[in-house]
Amino acid sequence: MKCIAIDDEPLALKIIEQYCDRTPSLRLLGAYVDPLEGLSYIRSLQPDLLFLDIRMPDISGVDLAGALKEDALIIFTTAYREYAVEGFELNVVDYLLKPFGFDRFLTACEKAEERLRQSLKKPVSEPSSPEEVLTFHCNYQNIRLPLNDILYIEAFDNYVKVVTASKTYMPVTTLKNMLRLLPESGFVRVHKSFIIPVARIKSYSHETVVTDRIKAPVGRTFQKDFFKRMNILKANR
């Protein structure tokens, strides 16, 4: 899930960033201390999930949530218990009372994932159209690569190998940054070193995933999210 966090306390944002890094199913697009700045990014980036503090200057999290026309799911994060009723009146996913631990954070995110799955109308395995492209910078050039051409993506020292049938590109970036550029429905991270196109998966187990090009390991950190994605694929076939 793509997510954005808004909280006027930098330390609170840092904790959410750390928790998101530990949760393979989450992609944190941005963390903002200014709620009005965060609101503009919500409208441009269209995240699936928002982590919103409630008591903030200029606009409260409750007012911000009420002003949104987007369909993003909301998890409120606040040190003030008295706002819980207002939060649930807005049909938010959950209400995290500060300070909250990683387990409680994960429970809230799993609720959000379940609600998102219930709202999906298209199978997550829908193939990428030929017009969809991955744009990245490599060797002083901006590369526009059709998503359907990608066989797999692999971390390689300070580079990332984007492998196609005819050529391998090696931009200077991280696998995590590359994942942010890809549509969540079409690609899955199965290991700290591998991103795989969902449509190319031929078989898989708890240890490996086999495509039409490679046999990649499945890392323990990514097993839960990977098998959840595969189960959704089965249900939609």
Side-chain angles (χ1 to χ4, degrees), residues 14-130:
K14 186 66 176 178
I15 291 172
I16 293 176
E17 288 175 358
Q18 292 172 351
Y19 287 173
C20 286
D21 284 342
R22 294 172 59 184
T23 309
S25 61
L26 296 183
R27 303 185 200 178
L28 186 63
L29 302 179
Y32 307 97
V33 293
D34 183 341
L36 296 180
E37 180 187 12
L39 179 59
S40 68
Y41 278 99
I42 291 170
R43 288 170 173 165
S44 62
L45 297 177
Q46 297 184 334
D48 303 307
L49 175 64
L50 305 176
F51 296 99
L52 295 182
D53 186 20
I54 291 183
R55 186 176 288 185
M56 296 184 292
D58 298 324
I59 182 171
S60 73
V62 173
D63 290 338
L64 191 154
L68 288 175
K69 296 180 181 180
E70 291 77 6
D71 295 327
L73 303 170
I74 295 172
I75 295 176
F76 278 141
T77 62
T78 182
Y80 302 95
R81 191 182 300 272
E82 63 267 24
Y83 289 108
V85 173
E86 291 177 279
F88 284 111
E89 284 178 350
L90 287 167
N91 196 31
V92 300
V93 173
D94 209 341
Y95 178 96
L96 296 177
L97 187 64
K98 301 175 183 176
F100 50 87
F102 179 67
D103 288 345
R104 181 66 183 88
F105 173 86
L106 199 58
T107 297
C109 293
E110 288 174 348
K111 291 180 182 178
E113 287 181 46
E114 179 60 29
R115 189 177 292 189
L116 183 61
R117 282 196 296 271
Q118 294 298 327
S119 67
L120 289 177
K121 296 181 180 180
K122 295 182 179 180
V124 297
S125 58
E126 183 176 330
S128 304
S129 67

Side-chain angles (χ1 to χ4, degrees), residues 119-233:
S119 67
L120 289 177
K121 296 181 180 180
K122 295 182 179 180
V124 297
S125 58
E126 183 176 330
S128 304
S129 67
E131 292 77 21
E132 290 183 305
V133 297
L134 170 65
T135 303
F136 56 91
H137 192 71
C138 182
N139 294 331
Y140 306 103
Q141 294 181 324
N142 290 314
I143 306 298
R144 287 175 53 82
L145 185 65
L147 295 181
N148 286 337
D149 288 354
I150 299 173
L151 299 178
Y152 65 93
I153 302 174
E154 180 181 4
F156 186 77
D157 291 333
N158 295 324
Y159 299 84
V160 166
K161 292 166 58 178
V162 182
V163 181
T164 72
S166 60
K167 187 172 182 179
T168 296
Y169 301 88
M170 295 186 65
V172 181
T173 186
T174 65
L175 211 64
K176 185 173 182 179
N177 287 337
M178 187 62 71
L179 189 63
R180 289 173 176 160
L181 302 176
L182 294 164
E184 189 174 4
S185 62
F187 293 81
V188 60
R189 190 171 182 180
V190 299
H191 186 269
K192 65 180 181 180
S193 298
F194 287 97
I195 296 172
I196 302 294
V198 172
R200 294 187 180 275
I201 294 176
K202 302 300 182 184
S203 63
Y204 59 91
S205 68
H206 282 85
E207 290 78 32
T208 59
V209 55
V210 178
T211 74
D212 49 5
R213 182 62 179 260
I214 64 165
K215 182 178 182 179
V218 177
R220 289 186 178 181
T221 304
F222 304 93
Q223 279 182 352
K224 182 177 179 182
D225 183 56
F226 173 62
F227 273 86
K228 189 178 292 184
R229 292 280 300 278
M230 293 301 100
N231 289 335
I232 295 173
L233 288 176

